Structure formats: C-alpha cells, structure tokens
C-alpha cells in the first residue's frame, strides 16, 4: 500500500455559534503521502517543459520541467481470520445464570 505519514495542519471552517456563522481555525491531523517528485522525460529522454506562470509584459513565457509524484510503497502484514462452519452448536452461560444455578445446587 502507499506509505503515509501523519501531519498536523490548520483548517478554516465556518461554524454556527449562537445562530451566527463564525470563521474558526483549528488544528487537524491528516495523512500525507510519502514519496518524491521526479522530472518527466519523453520517449527520447528529453525533459518535458511546461509553462511556469503567466507571460511577462513582452509575451515571453517562462518554462519549467514537468514533475510527477512517485509514492513510496510499503509492505504490510495483515492478520486475517475466517470462520469455518463446523456443524456443532456451542452453548454458554452468563455469569448471573451460572451463579443462579450454583445457588440452586447448594
């Protein structure tokens, strides 16, 4: 599965307090993927360039190399159980039921 780490972040939300909407800021914990950004190349091995912002006053566009996020993958061992029908009926007693039975027997 993809590897993640816990990160604290601030979240802004609107809550209704005394019938009025109030903008509140609170700390939350969220999962962030772990990995790295790598440059993208075409089939010939040349860097793929993309516009890096708005054109300047002369109409020139600044280019930057395209980046792609590659997530880290981790191996996880999971314990799994399954129920196998045996055809047997298992009965049990609650503590109070056992106590009543023992009182009757004395």
């Amino acid at each position: 599965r993809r590897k993640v780490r816990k990160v604290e972040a601030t979240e802004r939300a609107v809550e209704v307090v005394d019938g009025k909407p109030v903008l509140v800021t609170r700390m939350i914990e969220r999962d962030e993927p772990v990995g790295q950004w790598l440059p993208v190349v075409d089939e010939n091995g040349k860097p793929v360039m993309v516009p890096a912002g708005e054109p300047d006053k002369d109409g020139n566009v600044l280019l930057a190399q395209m980046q792609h996020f590659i997530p880290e993958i981790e191996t996880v061992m999971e314990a799994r159980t399954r129920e196998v029908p045996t055809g047997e009926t298992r009965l049990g007693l609650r503590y109070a039921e056992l106590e009543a039975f023992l009182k009757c027997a004395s």
Side-chain angles (χ1 to χ4, degrees), residues 18-96:
D18 296 330
K20 296 180 183 178
V22 178
L23 181 64
V24 295
T25 304
R26 58 182 166 224
M27 293 297 294
I28 61 167
E29 190 175 82
R30 61 180 174 87
D31 290 337
E32 179 179 275
V34 176
Q36 57 184 337
W37 287 92
L38 297 176
V40 177
V41 295
D42 64 11
E43 296 88 12
N44 299 322
K46 293 184 180 181
V48 176
M49 306 302 284
V50 294
E54 299 294 321
D56 62 9
K57 61 183 176 184
D58 298 328
N60 299 324
V61 178
L62 183 62
L63 297 176
Q65 188 168 2
M66 180 185 280
Q67 301 280 315
H68 184 75
F69 184 75
I70 306 294
E72 285 186 29
I73 305 298
E74 64 182 349
T75 302
V76 179
M77 299 296 287
E78 293 183 355
R80 295 184 180 210
T81 59
R82 68 175 183 193
E83 292 183 22
V84 178
T86 61
E88 297 179 10
T89 301
R90 297 184 70 182
L91 302 174
L93 289 174
R94 293 185 181 93
Y95 180 77

